[in-house]
């Protein structure tokens, strides 16, 4: 089993970007130009490495090769983005990899592109990249529509992956560190699957309508150094048996009810006797339907508050209460047919970001994450 932390260290030891790996300070998948740049590199690495994995490391200061980290990124639908724009898309994964010398809220992102023997091309235009374009790697550069040059990276990558295998000391050190650093207010636990896979987790447990839910859930897949994380605003249920570990995320979407939770997404790790595993995610969400008149009233009040924010006007106590639920209420309105609600919420992003209450911007990011996942899950690009 490959230890993703060791893999990143071994890749960075190459010092310069090359034909099988790239490094980035951060990804910007919220804009078309950011998506286009990311997809260009995926395309190039896939085409130049038809027999071996290739990689993008995110959270590295390019010049100094310093690990600076990025925010945890949990977009499990990133494969859907790749499928949407590519003909013959490669299979990719994005892992959040922990490092002890980074801040607690920072990780290193590792994008792994699996080999694909077919030529990967853009089937849709995005940004300045037109339909039909393909890219390949020439050294550390992704170039368009050039003669494909196979660099014969298979032996190099296999050597790096072999030297990144787990050893017992790495696994035990990680388990001990995790247990010692876990919050004293929350109980930490771990389980060994198939006598070789170790998962540690810690979370704050509450019981709602007889069902145990967890928030502030921090999970680490020790063998791979992969981190899964759910914030204090999230609630998840946990299930495991001898061969699987399942997390189901729920959304609290009751208008005036703090106990109405709707299943959103399931993440399932399945372990096999041959030393392999699968990590799969499945969208479960069906948005609740509410009375149009009630939602219309909520929508108008929310728009009024957002207009006052943009004009710098002081909010009343009642409007402050509307502000506290603004992001989730606007998401509900958007999911129930108020098509302008999403863009109107984005317009006040900066006001929420610099508000006195940091939970407002956390709520905004949470809502954007949910809507992004739903977009990749339900929108047809064919």
């Amino acid at each position: 089993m490959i230890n993703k932390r060791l893999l990143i260290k071994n890749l960075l030891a190459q010092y310069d970007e090359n034909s099988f790996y790239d490094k980035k300070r951060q990804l910007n998948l919220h804009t078309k130009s950011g998506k286009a740049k990311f997809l260009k590199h995926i395309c190039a690495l896939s085409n130049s490495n038809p027999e071996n994995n290739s990689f993008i490391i995110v959270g590295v200061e390019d010049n100094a090769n310093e690990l600076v980290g990025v925010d945890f990124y949990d977009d499990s639908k990133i494969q859907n983005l790749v499928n949407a724009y590519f003909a013959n898309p490669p299979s990719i994964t994005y892992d959040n990899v922990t490092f002890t010398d980074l801040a607690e809220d920072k990780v290193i992102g590792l994008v792994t592109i699996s080999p694909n023997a077919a030529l990967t091309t853009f089937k849709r235009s995005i940004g300045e990249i037109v339909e039909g374009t393909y890219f390949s790697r020439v050294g550390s550069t992704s170039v368009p529509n050039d003669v494909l040059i196979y660099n014969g990276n298979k032996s190099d990558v296999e050597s790096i992956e072999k030297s990144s295998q787990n050893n017992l000391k790495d696994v035990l050190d990680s388990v001990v560190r995790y247990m010692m650093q876990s919050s004293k207010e929350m109980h930490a636990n771990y389980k060994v699957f198939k006598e070789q896979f170790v998962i540690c987790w810690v979370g704050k447990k509450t019981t709602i309508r007889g069902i145990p839910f967890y928030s502030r859930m921090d999970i680490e897949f020790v063998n791979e150094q992969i981190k899964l994380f759910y914030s204090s605003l999230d609630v998840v249920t946990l299930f495991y048996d001898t061969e699987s570990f399942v997390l189901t995320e729920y959304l609290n979407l009751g208008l005036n009810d703090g106990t109405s939770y709707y299943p959103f997404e399931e993440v399932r790790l399945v372990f096999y006797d041959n030393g392999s595993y699968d990590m799969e995610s499945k969208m479960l969400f069906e948005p609740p339907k509410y009375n149009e008149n009630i939602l219309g009233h909520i929508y108008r009040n929310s728009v009024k508050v957002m207009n006052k924010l943009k004009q710098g006007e002081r909010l009343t106590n009642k409007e402050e209460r509307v502000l506290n639920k603004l992001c989730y209420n606007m998401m509900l309105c958007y999911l129930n047919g108020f098509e302008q609600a999403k863009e109107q919420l984005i317009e006040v992003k900066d006001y929420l970001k610099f508000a006195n209450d940091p939970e407002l911007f956390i709520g905004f990011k949470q809502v954007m994450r949910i809507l992004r996942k739903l977009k990749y899950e339900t929108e047809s690009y064919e």
Side-chain angles (χ1 to χ4, degrees):
M1 290 168 286
I2 294 177
N3 183 309
K4 300 295 174 64
R5 186 188 298 163
L6 289 177
L7 176 62
I8 289 172
K9 288 182 176 180
N10 288 331
L11 285 169
L12 290 175
Q14 300 284 329
Y15 292 106
D16 293 324
E17 298 165 316
N18 56 37
S19 54
F20 60 82
Y21 102 93
D22 203 348
K23 56 188 176 184
K24 301 295 176 190
R25 175 61 184 84
Q26 61 185 10
L27 297 181
N28 180 9
L29 300 182
H30 301 290
T31 66
K32 280 191 175 181
S33 60
K35 289 179 183 176
K37 186 175 181 180
F38 172 71
L39 291 168
K40 176 182 75 173
H41 294 309
I42 293 290
C43 182
L45 288 165
S46 176
N47 286 331
S48 296
N49 295 278
E51 296 182 356
N52 55 268
N53 290 332
S54 49
F55 311 93
I56 301 175
I57 303 173
V58 186
V60 180
E61 195 64 61
D62 197 10
N63 294 330
N65 227 29
E66 178 187 0
L67 296 176
V68 293
V70 289
D71 291 339
F72 182 88
Y73 188 75
D74 72 338
D75 195 342
S76 59
K77 303 305 174 188
I78 200 168
Q79 179 70 52
N80 295 37
L81 174 65
V82 170
N83 293 344
Y85 283 94
F86 287 152
N88 302 316
S91 175
I92 70 169
T93 58
Y94 185 103
D95 294 315
N96 296 280
V97 184
T98 60
F99 279 80
T100 55
D101 50 353
L102 290 178
E104 276 191 31
D105 60 341
K106 298 295 181 183
V107 293
I108 298 297
L110 176 65
V111 181
T112 303
I113 303 107
S114 299
N116 178 17
L119 179 68
T120 298
T121 62
F122 279 80
K123 66 180 180 181
R124 300 174 63 231
S125 300
I126 180 171
E128 297 180 355
I129 302 174
V130 299
E131 178 184 347
T133 301
Y134 66 87
F135 290 84
S136 58
R137 295 283 283 192
V138 177
S140 61
T141 305
S142 298
V143 297
N145 297 338
D146 203 350
V147 176
L148 286 176
I149 301 174
Y150 174 48
N151 296 286
N153 295 319
K154 185 176 181 180
S155 60
D156 292 334
V157 173
E158 285 181 346
S159 175
I160 290 174
E161 290 178 331
K162 184 176 180 180
S163 66
S164 304
Q165 297 291 320
N166 266 309
N167 60 59
L168 186 58
K169 183 179 183 301
D170 290 331
V171 174
L172 292 176
D173 285 349
S174 294
V175 173
V176 171
R177 174 186 56 79
Y178 187 90
M179 293 299 178
M180 292 181 65
Q181 291 181 352
S182 297
S183 170
K184 300 297 187 296
E185 299 176 356
M186 298 183 287
H187 179 64
N189 204 348
Y190 74 96
K191 182 172 175 59
V192 180
F193 297 86
K194 301 295 183 180
E195 299 184 350
Q196 53 189 323
F197 301 98
V198 184
I199 291 185
C200 299
W201 69 90
V202 62
K204 184 177 180 181
K205 183 178 179 180
T206 57
T207 301
I208 302 172
R209 296 180 179 176
I211 301 174
F213 286 94
Y214 296 87
S215 61
R216 189 56 180 83
M217 191 75 168
D218 193 346
I219 307 105
E220 188 167 314
F221 185 4
V222 175
N223 303 68
E224 302 277 304
Q225 297 298 337
I226 295 174
K227 182 177 183 179
L228 302 175
F229 178 74
Y230 297 91
S231 75
S232 58
L233 297 178
D234 301 320
V235 289
V236 298
T237 57
L238 169 64
F239 167 82
Y240 57 89
D241 54 22
T242 57
E243 58 186 29
S244 62
F245 184 85
V246 183
L247 296 159
T248 305
E249 180 182 358
Y250 288 76
L251 302 180
N252 176 216
L253 296 177
L255 290 176
N256 296 301
D257 178 8
T259 64
S260 290
Y261 287 89
Y262 297 82
F264 178 58
E265 184 180 33
E266 176 187 278
V267 176
R268 179 183 296 266
L269 279 158
V270 180
F271 307 98
Y272 302 105
D273 292 326
N274 63 359
S276 63
Y277 74 95
D278 286 328
M279 185 162 65
E280 304 170 343
S281 64
K282 180 171 65 174
M283 190 64 63
L284 307 173
F285 187 59
E286 293 185 8
K289 300 298 181 182
Y290 290 104
N291 180 278
E292 186 175 349
N293 292 331
I294 295 175
L295 279 180
H297 176 71
I298 291 173
Y299 175 73
R300 289 188 293 273
N301 285 341
S302 298
V303 170
K304 179 181 177 182
V305 167
M306 289 189 293
N307 287 336
K308 292 186 73 170
L309 284 178
K310 289 187 284 187
Q311 294 167 11
E313 298 180 16
R314 186 180 180 87
L315 302 182
T316 66
N317 290 337
K318 182 179 179 180
E319 289 168 339
E320 288 284 355
R321 291 193 293 271
V322 172
L323 178 62
N324 290 336
K325 296 183 178 181
L326 177 68
C327 294
Y328 287 94
N329 283 346
M330 288 296 281
M331 178 178 68
L332 271 180
C333 289
Y334 176 74
L335 294 174
N336 280 268
F338 292 78
E339 296 183 358
Q340 300 301 316
K342 178 182 175 181
E343 292 303 320
Q344 289 172 317
L345 182 59
I346 292 174
E347 289 176 4
V348 295
K349 171 185 175 181
D350 289 340
Y351 300 93
L352 300 173
K353 184 175 183 178
F354 298 106
N356 292 329
D357 183 0
E359 295 297 321
L360 293 176
F361 190 59
I362 293 174
F364 173 83
K365 292 193 293 184
Q366 176 81 330
V367 163
M368 290 299 111
R369 175 183 71 91
I370 292 168
L371 294 179
R372 184 173 66 247
K373 284 191 174 185
L374 290 176
K375 173 185 176 182
Y376 293 154
E377 180 69 19
T378 61
E379 187 171 356
S380 173
Y381 292 93
E382 299 299 331

